Amino acid sequence: MITMKILILSTSVGALSSGIGGGVELTIYNLIQEMQRRNHIVKVIAPQGSFFPYADIVEIEGNLHIPAQTQTRDIPTIMPENSVLANMWEYARKVQSDYDILVNFAFDWLPFYLTPFFETAIAHFISMGSLSDSLDQIMGEIARKYPQNLGVYTQSQAKTFPFGDVCQILGSGIDLSIYEFREKADKKLAWLGRIAPEKALEDAVKASEITQIPLLIFGKIQNQEYWQNILRQYPKAPIEYKGFLSTINLQKELGNCQGLLMTPRWVEAFGNVAIEALACGVPVISYARGGPAEIITDGKTGFLVIPDSIDGLVTAIHRLPQINRHDCRQCAEEIYSLTAWGNNFELWLEAIRN
Ligand code: UDP
């Protein structure tokens, strides 16, 4: 493979490593590491305060954008004053001729709109399912003009878009060497992710209250009011908030758990946390929709339950001892390695680069 010069444009909702971006932060980190390992030259443009080890990041000042999932579908696109996204793309415009390909990770209107005005090809990695009418429209136009340039995590995610059939399904992958396999677990459950309504943490808390099995919660509190409500509503649930941990520390704690609960109310585009759990040998219980439904094999690497059913979660929790934790790790190794995902991503970029 010929060396590519890749310019990555990060999400504009938060700095890299802040946790506000959710799973896309890990995806960007993994992409940088894997493309550098393959001898590509990678530079990243991201909001001020961004940090990743072993990454060449240009930090850009400006106001962060509002995450699309906190808005209703019909709301027009909002540009803050001194938009960090506009500043990032202004920078990209000036340096574009130094690169073979630009990779956009912002789930936002502007980069799609700008695509035909750039000389260097832009690959758009879409990190969530359909959430906004105005965004769907501009993405659809780009999909028509550049049918190869839109990438997504999963088939279920692609299906949420009217132009889903042209999206490249790229999956996801993690560096398995940093997730330690644990054969034995304590009698406790884990929940991890951004603490925000679309993730429906309250369902996992309810299940923990019913079973009285401790639930460890890891992740960024994106919506304080939502979190405080949960604490008020379920005072008898044996839950413990552990904070937002680095991947190294997260996998240590996660590996000791009997199972991971995933309770998304929305169509989860992928659910990086599912493959992180599997890599540690931790079975995943999830509602049967979106990305997790493609990742988990019911009865083998976890359980898929009827969406929004607390009874379903409780029944599955009692069945967790039936799962062989080796099968979980094996699934991660066979399907979700960084190398396998890197191959998909590299071929995609190679096909659309200048
Ligand atoms: N995460 C983390 N530390 C924590 C809790 C979560 O680094 O303490 C990361 C986790 O590794 C995952 C991301 O937060 O990469 C959540 O991503 P996911 O794809 O599950 O959901 P999203 O937030 O993108 O909707």
Side-chain angles (χ1 to χ4, degrees):
M1 185 79 62
I2 304 163
T3 298
M4 283 185 277
K5 288 190 185 143
I6 305 170
L7 184 64
I8 293 176
L9 286 110
S10 183
T11 167
S12 50
V13 301
L16 289 171
S17 285
S18 70
I20 291 292
V24 79
E25 292 184 21
L26 184 67
T27 298
I28 295 172
Y29 177 72
N30 287 340
L31 183 66
I32 300 165
Q33 303 311 323
E34 182 60 13
M35 291 302 128
Q36 287 181 164
R37 192 184 68 77
R38 291 165 187 249
N39 295 323
H40 300 303
I41 295 159
V42 183
K43 195 163 192 136
V44 185
I45 302 183
Q48 198 145 49
S50 289
F51 171 78
F52 272 157
Y54 313 109
D56 181 2
I57 301 181
V58 180
E59 294 176 56
I60 302 284
E61 64 87 35
N63 290 315
L64 297 171
H65 280 226
I66 299 168
Q69 69 271 26
T70 64
Q71 307 290 296
T72 52
R73 292 198 64 84
D74 54 335
I75 275 185
T77 295
I78 298 167
M79 285 287 289
E81 178 258 328
N82 187 27
S83 150
V84 74
L85 186 63
N87 297 345
M88 284 160 59
W89 282 86
E90 174 58 13
Y91 182 96
R93 188 182 65 79
K94 289 185 189 136
V95 300
Q96 59 174 315
S97 59
D98 299 339
Y99 295 89
D100 301 309
I101 182 97
L102 272 45
V103 191
N104 167 45
F105 278 92
F107 191 89
D108 210 305
W109 188 85
L110 186 67
F112 290 91
Y113 174 76
L114 289 175
T115 308
F117 300 101
F118 269 66
E119 262 139 45
T120 304
I122 304 174
H124 295 276
F125 184 79
I126 304 174
S127 61
M128 292 186 279
S130 169
L131 290 171
S132 146
D133 295 337
S134 68
L135 193 47
D136 275 11
Q137 193 219 325
I138 193 78
M139 285 173 171
E141 276 173 37
I142 295 308
R144 267 191 300 281
K145 279 192 197 132
Y146 309 90
Q148 281 189 298
N149 294 33
L150 274 58
V152 295
Y153 283 115
T154 59
Q155 195 79 50
S156 333
Q157 179 198 0
K159 279 194 193 132
T160 67
F161 297 107
F163 51 86
D165 51 345
V166 301
C167 292
Q168 311 286 316
I169 314 285
L170 299 167
S172 189
I174 49 175
D175 179 356
L176 292 159
S177 69
I178 61 176
Y179 298 84
E180 194 190 332
F181 170 69
R182 303 287 180 85
E183 191 154 10
K184 297 252 174 323
D186 298 337
K187 195 161 185 192
K188 53 192 182 189
L189 302 164
W191 187 96
L192 48 140
R194 285 175 300 105
I195 298 177
E198 66 273 14
K199 297 290 189 171
L201 168 60
E202 65 273 23
D203 290 13
V205 173
K206 265 185 231 171
S208 155
E209 190 179 63
I210 294 167
T211 57
Q212 283 297 309
I213 299 175
L215 177 71
L216 308 185
I217 300 166
F218 306 90
K220 186 89 190 163
I221 300 175
Q222 194 170 22
N223 184 327
Q224 258 303 340
E225 197 188 325
Y226 168 71
W227 169 239
Q228 292 302 330
N229 262 338
I230 292 178
L231 295 181
R232 264 196 301 276
Q233 270 184 288
Y234 306 100
K236 296 209 174 71
I239 59 173
E240 192 182 340
Y241 177 57
K242 308 286 278 183
F244 178 73
L245 305 187
S246 66
T247 302
I248 300 289
N249 293 329
L250 179 67
Q251 63 85 31
K252 267 189 214 145
E253 299 253 8
L254 177 60
N256 276 330
C257 294
Q258 249 193 335
L260 171 74
L261 301 185
M262 289 184 77
T263 47
R265 202 68 85 210
W266 68 351
V267 176
E268 185 78 50
F270 186 82
N272 271 332
V273 299
I275 58 175
E276 296 184 87
L278 295 179
C280 300
V282 176
V284 182
I285 295 172
S286 174
Y287 291 148
R289 67 174 154 226
E294 292 183 39
I295 300 166
I296 301 152
T297 307
D298 187 55
K300 186 155 192 205
T301 56
F303 298 102
L304 290 170
V305 309
I306 296 169
D308 312 316
S309 162
I310 310 295
D311 287 349
L313 293 176
V314 170
T315 308
I317 290 169
H318 292 308
R319 291 179 65 198
L320 277 172
Q322 298 170 10
I323 303 287
N324 177 347
R325 291 169 70 97
H326 287 278
D327 287 342
C328 299
R329 173 75 191 188
Q330 198 184 341
C331 166
E333 281 175 9
E334 282 172 6
I335 311 176
Y336 301 108
S337 71
L338 212 43
T339 321
W341 176 66
N343 285 342
N344 294 346
F345 222 101
E346 189 180 50
L347 286 172
W348 179 50
L349 298 185
E350 190 60 41
I352 54 187
R353 62 171 281 181
N354 283 46

